[in-house]
Amino acid sequence: MVRFNDIVDEILKYNPQEDLSMLEKAYVFSAQAHKGQTRLSGEPYLVHPLEVAYTLTKMNLDISSVVSGLLHDTIEDSYVSKSEIEENFGTEVAELVDGVTKIGQIPLKTSEDSKVETFRKMLLAMSKDIRVILIKLADRYHNMKTLNFLNSNRQIDIARETMDIYAPLAHRLGIEWLKGELEDEAFKYLLPLEYKNVVSKITKKRKERDTYIEEVIELLKGKFQQFKLDAEIFGRAKKLYSIYRKTILEKLELDDIYDLTAFRVIVNNVKDCYLALGLIHSFFRPIPGKFNDYIALPKPNMYQSLHTKVVGPYGEKIEIQIRTHEMHKIAEEGIAAHWKYKEGSVFDPKEDKIFGWLRRLIESQQELKDNKEFMEIFKIDLFPDEIYVFTPRGDVKELSKGSTPVDFAYAIHSQLGHTCVGAKVNGRLVPLKYELKSGDTVDIQTNQAHKPSKDWLNFVKTSRAKTKIRQWIKAEQRERSIELGKSLIDKELSKYDLSLTKMLKTGELLGLAKEFSFETVDDLFAGVGYGLYSPMQVLGKIIPEVEKPGKLQQIISNIKNGKDNAIRVQGVDGMVVRFAKCCNPIPGDIIFGFITRGRGLTIHAADCPNIHTYDEQRKIDVTWEPNKNYTYPVKLKIIGDDRKGLLSDISSTMASNKVNIVGAHAMTNQDKTASGIYEVEVGNMSKLQKVIKSIQKIKGVKSVERIRGTV
């Protein structure tokens, strides 16, 4: 267990002159704030902030960051306010703690939209001060080490998010040791059998592996001494998840993997890096195609090293990384090694090339409103397998592995991407979907009359290309909808000898657009073009009553039926209202309306599993009408022990809560559990939550889950 003195010792190692008075004050403040609180492990809560602060010292972070690590949970989990922290520790620390608190305010186990909102908040926090994410990573690291105290479902949820988001973030920030630790901890819960298998194999070979490492180090030292090359050499076992991943990627059995050890050679300067490489290749046979020069072409997180794989003693394959002391510092500390501080100002990510990917992500989160598209872009930019290609003038462009000439064109400029019609790679014409390789020289051919194709989305790899193509397609669709809507309204107006041109000049249509909650007349035209409203619905507000065709009155009369008065639609009265069976919304759910052609308005939950399939232009804002006594169908999945009387207890509990069961399907499973799908009718979310809590208290019930749609 980490002690306060351990944190002090680490700080003094990299900053012997540091004033520790604020750190001591933060320790006392945190201890008082968390007094009497315990974690699920039974340990005092203070253990957690101490661990987080200690991890931050391993990144060699400044005193404000470490202090914020000690205080990071005080706002969320105790009585402390942001203003109190600011009063005691200053604005900088208060902003860091508040930033971490805001990221954590959305629970993990909620709707997919809430998870996306969490990641959007993370990006915004990173854009303001990258240290917020470093504290969050340290927080996640300790939470992963104590994950065994949670139930299995929570373990898997948190481990999956760690593997998908937090470990790649650590990699993007250049903190490789933390990335490896997070992956190994997540690996333990996501693939427990595979994890145990890898641990077992590594443990059996540990003694002979340690002996082998010493032998290789002595060989390298002897060779370097002959040529008077000053170098530090050490070996380490590879991380467990990286070993497992290799078995998958290379389709190998664990017993067939020999390069379980990586060696590092640390020298004084770049010239010595290449000298060391030459010496290594002179007495260890290099493996063809297994050499990477990340010194000449650094990774996006500024990582630099020479990587080579060679055949070592006894025919074993080994990996050797060669770097300078400064490169090693960057490889170990990541972003902290680039830290720039100015008196009285905050670190500006725009000043450093390392933040290019972050700027792309921030642009994406601002431009992409669709959550599915945003998460796709978010994950693409987190996994940076790169290639390096050249422009005809010799400039280097970094792209994602698998990128095409179209990706290259968009990396240069959006307009070059839009007008791209062909490409030459190394002087030879290639298809636009051709997969580029490192070292290729790419020459883009354009035609100013050409437009992007929707098919390009099937093969482009970079987030920038995907985002720009989608933006263009949406803009093009909007233009077509504007023209169509304009034409339909003009045609309808002509029936009453009214002039569209005249109405545009007088501004009458702008007022009409505002009545339908549109900002501009073009928005109104687009709404009609998309089918959100018919021309007659729009013009009904300005065409004299006596001139309206009688059929319209009949339509309005016909659609006022069903539960339409349970829903309030801004700016629209009397629409047919249906509730979507794919998500079964109930009062208390966040909802939106979707206009369907010929079937009126369909109400969906905001976390509907089909949300990504709906045209944004046909969505409208709706709210629940208060105090309407309707009931709504909800499906519950209940899993429990296969015991006599369980179904009876569930039915009795629902009856005591005055909930009607309209359908049920139950079955027993091979693992001696029983599961059932119950369709019940409830009036609102509060009622549903009360019912779920009551069922959870029944002896033998393991889980109760609301499910969407059909099963």
Side-chain angles (χ1 to χ4, degrees), residues 126-144:
M126 289 166 74
S127 68
K128 293 175 182 176
D129 196 324
I130 200 74
R131 291 174 293 180
V132 171
I133 290 304
L134 297 179
I135 298 167
K136 188 66 182 173
L137 283 170
D139 174 53
R140 175 53 60 101
Y141 177 42
H142 184 244
N143 284 337
M144 288 302 296

Side-chain angles (χ1 to χ4, degrees), residues 638-655:
I638 304 174
I639 298 175
D641 296 330
D642 184 14
R643 68 168 177 84
K644 186 176 180 180
L646 179 63
L647 293 179
S648 174
D649 289 347
I650 292 172
S651 299
S652 298
T653 300
M654 289 188 181

Side-chain angles (χ1 to χ4, degrees), residues 147-361:
L147 205 58
N148 56 304
F149 295 101
L150 298 180
N151 65 54
S152 58
N153 288 337
R154 288 280 288 160
Q155 287 174 349
I156 291 170
D157 284 339
I158 294 172
R160 172 53 57 199
E161 187 186 49
T162 298
M163 188 70 85
D164 288 349
I165 303 297
Y166 286 94
L169 261 177
H171 177 61
R172 264 303 195 178
L173 296 171
I175 315 169
E176 288 301 311
W177 69 267
L178 184 55
K179 174 236 184 191
E181 291 289 337
L182 290 171
E183 284 181 340
D184 280 0
E185 292 294 338
F187 179 31
K188 186 189 304 181
Y189 296 97
L190 295 175
L191 297 166
L193 293 179
E194 291 84 345
Y195 175 84
K196 289 177 182 176
N197 192 23
V198 174
V199 170
S200 174
K201 297 284 185 184
I202 296 300
T203 303
K204 285 179 183 177
K205 296 182 177 181
R206 179 165 293 165
K207 186 172 285 188
E208 60 184 85
R209 183 63 43 194
D210 290 344
T211 302
Y212 187 78
I213 288 173
E214 290 175 12
E215 187 174 340
V216 171
I217 289 175
E218 288 305 314
L219 280 170
L220 290 172
K221 279 183 177 177
K223 191 69 173 179
F224 292 160
Q225 284 171 1
Q226 288 180 31
F227 288 85
K228 297 180 180 179
L229 177 62
D230 183 22
E232 293 179 23
I233 310 163
F234 52 92
R236 60 173 180 84
K238 288 189 175 180
K239 303 299 290 183
L240 300 176
Y241 181 68
S242 69
I243 293 171
Y244 170 74
R245 191 164 177 266
K246 182 168 183 148
T247 66
I248 302 301
L249 294 176
E250 299 188 16
K251 298 178 180 177
L252 296 171
E253 295 295 327
L254 268 174
D255 290 332
D256 297 329
I257 296 181
Y258 293 100
D259 55 334
L260 300 177
T261 307
F263 292 87
R264 286 181 182 151
V265 175
I266 316 295
V267 295
N268 295 323
N269 53 56
V270 172
K271 183 182 74 172
D272 285 349
C273 288
Y274 290 98
L275 174 58
L277 176 69
L279 292 173
I280 290 168
H281 283 181
S282 71
F283 63 98
F284 287 153
R285 180 166 58 85
I287 299 171
K290 297 295 183 181
F291 168 70
N292 289 295
D293 188 342
Y294 295 118
I295 292 179
L297 295 169
K299 289 187 177 185
N301 57 17
M302 303 307 288
Y303 173 89
Q304 288 184 289
S305 281
L306 298 177
H307 286 200
T308 185
K309 279 191 178 178
V310 298
V311 179
Y314 315 113
E316 285 205 27
K317 297 172 184 175
I318 58 176
E319 179 183 313
I320 302 177
Q321 300 166 358
I322 309 164
R323 57 180 74 142
T324 66
H325 291 282
E326 182 62 26
M327 293 172 192
H328 184 60
K329 179 181 172 69
I330 290 171
E332 290 298 298
E333 298 171 19
I335 190 69
H338 296 277
W339 215 247
K340 299 175 183 176
Y341 286 103
K342 296 177 183 176
E343 193 65 34
S345 67
V346 178
F347 176 69
D348 184 2
K350 293 179 181 177
E351 295 179 4
D352 207 308
K353 179 185 173 184
I354 190 173
F355 287 96
W357 65 276
L358 176 56
R359 288 195 294 274
R360 289 196 301 271
L361 279 174

